[in-house]
Amino acid sequence: MKRIKTIARMLTGLGIPGLFTEAVAQDTPKSTPTAHSQLNMADRKFVKDAAHGGMAEVELGQLAAEKASSDDVKKFGQRMVDDHSKANDDLKQLATKKGVHVPQQLSAKDKATKARLSKLSGEQFDKAYMANMVRDHKKDVAEFRRETESAKDPDVKNFAASTLPTLEDHLKQAQSLAPGNRSEAPLRSPRRHNGSGNCV
């Protein structure tokens, strides 16, 4: 840059300012609009959060397909791998188009969840995994539903809207498999005998 200024002073001193303008134009990097400007902060955060979440669903689903004791939980885990892998691919294409760098590894929270589940087995694993799936998908459904209403970028809004029904179905299935969410018959009070021998 100092060299350019020196040349500029020489050219200006010689009365050739036009050459100075041309020299600076050729030597100065052109500023081009970045793809980041295509998304506002909220949409960009949604894309990154969705990428983190989708990655976690795939890795935890792989764990469930291997470790679950219930066939239904194994099948659910494999569905998470299949459905979220496809959604992740769609999201990566969207992120590339919009110039958003998506995370390439699990968040610290998701790493901790995976480590905790990895230490469990049998029914304990099934219960903990499905409870986590219910929790995560409630959060995902709420975030995707909000993005379908508030997203400024039409492509981001379309991604959220097209993915939402699958997430809602995941949540419904997860709730049916999670023991704590199954409906049980209400407990009845024990019947007592009165003095006449009749039950009350």
Side-chain angles (χ1 to χ4, degrees), residues 1 5 13 23 43 45 50 57 60 65 77 82 84 86 88 93 102 110 117 135 146 152 154 156 168 172 188 192 197:
M1 197 67 189
K5 290 181 178 179
D43 286 354
K45 182 178 184 302
E57 298 295 358
L60 296 181
D82 297 339
H84 283 282
K86 181 183 180 304
N88 291 350
Q93 292 180 17
V102 294
D110 292 329
L117 291 174
R135 217 166 28 243
R146 183 166 56 248
K152 301 302 181 184
V156 173
E168 290 174 329
K172 183 178 179 182
R188 300 179 64 183
R192 302 190 311 274

Side-chain angles (χ1 to χ4, degrees), residues 59-77:
E59 294 204 21
L60 296 181
Q62 290 171 337
L63 202 60
E66 296 169 6
K67 290 178 66 72
S69 60
S70 161
D71 285 340
D72 287 337
V73 176
K74 281 181 181 288
K75 290 176 183 177
F76 180 85

Side-chain angles (χ1 to χ4, degrees), residues 2 7 16 41 50-51 53 80-82 86 96 98 118 132-133 143 154 156 183 190 196:
K2 289 181 179 179
I7 295 173
I16 322 176
M41 188 178 296
M80 294 302 99
V81 174
D82 297 339
K86 181 183 180 304
T96 299
K98 302 299 178 180
S118 296
N132 180 269
M133 288 297 97
E143 290 177 351
V156 173
S183 57
S196 63

Side-chain angles (χ1 to χ4, degrees), residues 64 68 70 72-74 76-77 80 117 123-137 170-182:
S70 161
D72 287 337
V73 176
K74 281 181 181 288
F76 180 85
M80 294 302 99
L117 291 174
E123 190 176 344
Q124 279 190 327
F125 174 87
D126 293 358
K127 288 181 177 180
Y129 172 70
M130 292 313 307
N132 180 269
M133 288 297 97
V134 170
R135 217 166 28 243
D136 278 1
H137 280 86
H170 288 173
L171 175 57
K172 183 178 179 182
Q173 187 178 1
Q175 288 174 324
S176 72
L177 292 174
N181 288 277
R182 289 175 182 166

Side-chain angles (χ1 to χ4, degrees), residues 15-123:
I16 322 176
L19 290 177
F20 161 63
T21 304
E22 184 178 348
V24 172
Q26 290 178 354
D27 210 70
T28 305
K30 294 181 179 179
S31 60
T32 56
T34 62
H36 288 286
S37 64
Q38 295 184 39
L39 296 184
N40 64 16
M41 188 178 296
D43 286 354
R44 195 157 60 243
K45 182 178 184 302
F46 169 78
V47 169
K48 290 186 176 184
D49 288 348
H52 255 142
M55 199 185 322
E57 298 295 358
V58 170
E59 294 204 21
L60 296 181
Q62 290 171 337
L63 202 60
E66 296 169 6
K67 290 178 66 72
S69 60
S70 161
D71 285 340
D72 287 337
V73 176
K74 281 181 181 288
K75 290 176 183 177
F76 180 85
Q78 188 57 51
R79 184 185 180 189
M80 294 302 99
V81 174
D82 297 339
D83 289 357
H84 283 282
S85 290
K86 181 183 180 304
N88 291 350
D89 289 340
D90 293 341
L91 184 60
K92 285 177 185 176
Q93 292 180 17
L94 173 63
T96 299
K97 179 181 177 182
K98 302 299 178 180
V100 178
H101 297 291
V102 294
Q104 300 299 316
Q105 59 181 357
L106 295 178
S107 67
K109 174 179 172 290
D110 292 329
K111 283 181 181 178
T113 298
K114 184 178 180 181
R116 178 174 60 84
L117 291 174
S118 296
K119 296 174 183 176
L120 302 177
S121 60
E123 190 176 344

